Amino acid sequence: KDLEWLPAVEGGPNVQKDLLLFRSNLDWKQQITETTWSTLNFDAESLRLAHGKSNQSDRETDLRLNFDMTGSWYSIYPTHLGGNIEYYSATDERHDRDAWGTIFRLYAREQFIPLGSKDKDIFVLSLGAEGVSSRERDDAGADQTHLRLNPSIAVTTNLSNQWIFQLEGQRTTLRSKLSAIYFDTDYISLNPFLRPEKTWSGRILLKHHQGRKLEMNLSGFAKRIDDLVVLNVASSPDPVRAELTWMPTNIDASIYGGQLDVSASISDRFDVRFQYSHELHHPKAGESIAYRPRNLMDVDVTYHL
């Protein structure tokens, strides 16, 4: 991308920057036995932000290795076991600062545990646990290692042949990819000290289906997010190279809302999907969430040849 940064002072010169992204992905899936599968994924991203004719540039690297093994060891239903390693490093040459961090995960998930009488399963329980170790920089500028336990639970029951009710809650630790933060949005300056988002979330889901002809999902959700990544206005202190841009930063916020999702098969070749979501944003006092939609509608029409 060739980007012209906005001048911070009216009439001032525009600042030219070049944004380059390299991404590579490798997936490997292997059947070990008739009921056991393993999946290996390696994802690498490298970002470079050059400042016009200057030799200075910002660089960031993101490496991720994921491993998952799925098998039916204790029952006829599959269990997921796996781990994840993430490494990232960033260098900001203009401000002479750099940072690096790591995330290690180990998880176990049982997605189908039937509960009920011998003749009929009344509930289906999904349980999961994830241990996370992350190295990140706090607000005081010190690098610290944090240990977290992220549990997850979901309870599903059939109200009738066409209605399903689900209640779920979980805690997650997520660090967004470079391509999602920097490359998909214009006017971005590098922040090497971004922390991963830590979220407590809950959801209530009511699902109605009529075979493949119609499926409707109505849900309500609540999220408490520590270190939510948002865009914040940033200006250069250099009057000669004055610029106005957006820099990703971390804030604490609560987000509530609901979502309606309807999928319909009009014919054997024609499918339509409609989705509408509404959010209520409650950031920490004195903070704001820019460029995150409160209302979002999406329509998808598919024709099969």
Side-chain angles (χ1 to χ4, degrees):
K1 283 186 176 181
D2 296 327
L3 302 176
E4 270 192 72
W5 258 232
L6 299 176
V9 181
E10 185 176 355
N14 285 15
V15 180
Q16 183 71 29
K17 296 186 180 181
D18 299 322
L19 184 64
L20 302 97
L21 175 73
F22 172 80
R23 180 177 181 182
S24 178
N25 180 269
L26 173 67
D27 293 289
W28 181 272
K29 189 172 183 178
Q30 179 70 45
Q31 183 176 8
I32 301 176
T33 66
E34 292 184 359
T35 59
T36 305
W37 290 84
S38 66
T39 303
L40 183 68
N41 167 263
F42 177 72
D43 197 306
E45 290 188 344
S46 177
L47 183 80
R48 179 177 178 268
L49 182 62
H51 300 275
K53 298 180 180 180
S54 171
N55 292 326
Q56 294 177 325
S57 63
D58 299 334
R59 299 183 302 275
E60 192 160 0
T61 300
D62 186 346
L63 305 176
R64 305 183 183 215
L65 182 65
N66 309 288
F67 176 77
D68 179 87
M69 181 172 289
T70 304
S72 303
W73 302 297
Y74 306 106
S75 66
I76 61 174
Y77 306 110
T79 301
H80 292 266
L81 301 174
N84 167 272
I85 300 175
E86 299 181 19
Y87 170 82
Y88 63 95
S89 63
T91 300
D92 183 353
E93 291 186 345
R94 287 195 307 165
H95 300 94
D96 191 23
R97 57 183 187 175
D98 56 72
W100 65 274
T102 56
I103 297 179
F104 297 92
R105 309 173 195 265
L106 289 175
Y107 65 82
R109 301 188 185 103
E110 183 70 49
Q111 297 179 321
F112 199 94
I113 304 175
L115 301 175
S117 62
K118 296 181 179 180
D119 300 328
K120 184 179 180 180
D121 295 332
I122 302 176
F123 298 100
V124 173
L125 182 65
S126 300
L127 292 176
E130 178 185 69
V132 180
S133 171
S134 62
R135 181 185 186 273
E136 55 194 73
R137 181 162 297 186
D138 59 18
D139 293 332
D143 292 327
Q144 296 182 349
T145 298
H146 300 272
L147 299 176
R148 301 181 186 89
L149 178 62
N150 294 345
S152 63
I153 184 173
V155 179
T156 306
T157 184
N158 292 327
L159 301 179
S160 67
N161 292 332
Q162 296 181 337
W163 290 92
I164 297 174
F165 176 78
Q166 186 177 72
L167 181 65
E168 61 182 45
Q170 63 178 341
R171 187 187 190 192
T172 57
T173 302
L174 175 66
R175 183 170 57 85
S176 300
K177 293 186 176 182
L178 302 181
S179 53
I181 297 178
Y182 295 100
F183 205 77
D184 294 341
T185 307
D186 291 345
Y187 304 107
I188 289 292
S189 285
L190 180 71
N191 182 359
F193 308 123
L194 272 183
R195 296 186 292 269
E197 296 180 352
K198 280 76 73 174
T199 305
W200 284 101
S201 62
R203 187 175 73 142
I204 298 176
L205 172 66
L206 183 63
K207 177 184 293 187
H208 174 71
H209 63 90
Q210 297 179 1
R212 297 180 58 184
K213 293 183 178 181
L214 176 67
E215 181 176 308
M216 180 180 67
N217 297 329
L218 180 62
S219 62
F221 59 85
K223 299 179 181 180
R224 170 61 189 174
I225 308 175
D226 294 332
D227 294 324
L228 172 68
V229 177
V230 299
L231 294 181
N232 189 29
V233 177
S235 58
S236 171
D238 187 354
V240 178
R241 301 172 57 192
E243 62 190 65
L244 179 66
T245 182
W246 293 94
M247 177 179 293
T249 187
N250 295 111
I251 68 171
D252 297 337
S254 297
I255 298 177
Y256 310 93
Q259 180 173 289
L260 173 65
D261 194 323
V262 180
S263 300
S265 180
I266 307 300
S267 66
D268 292 339
R269 295 173 176 250
F270 195 52
D271 297 329
V272 177
R273 180 174 176 267
F274 170 82
Q275 185 181 82
Y276 172 76
S277 60
H278 174 70
E279 291 186 349
L280 299 174
H281 300 165
H282 297 279
K284 186 179 179 180
E287 305 284 358
S288 62
I289 301 178
Y291 294 112
R292 180 180 177 123
R294 296 178 182 269
N295 295 279
L296 183 65
M297 183 176 66
D298 181 72
V299 179
D300 184 56
V301 180
T302 305
Y303 181 76
H304 305 276
L305 298 177

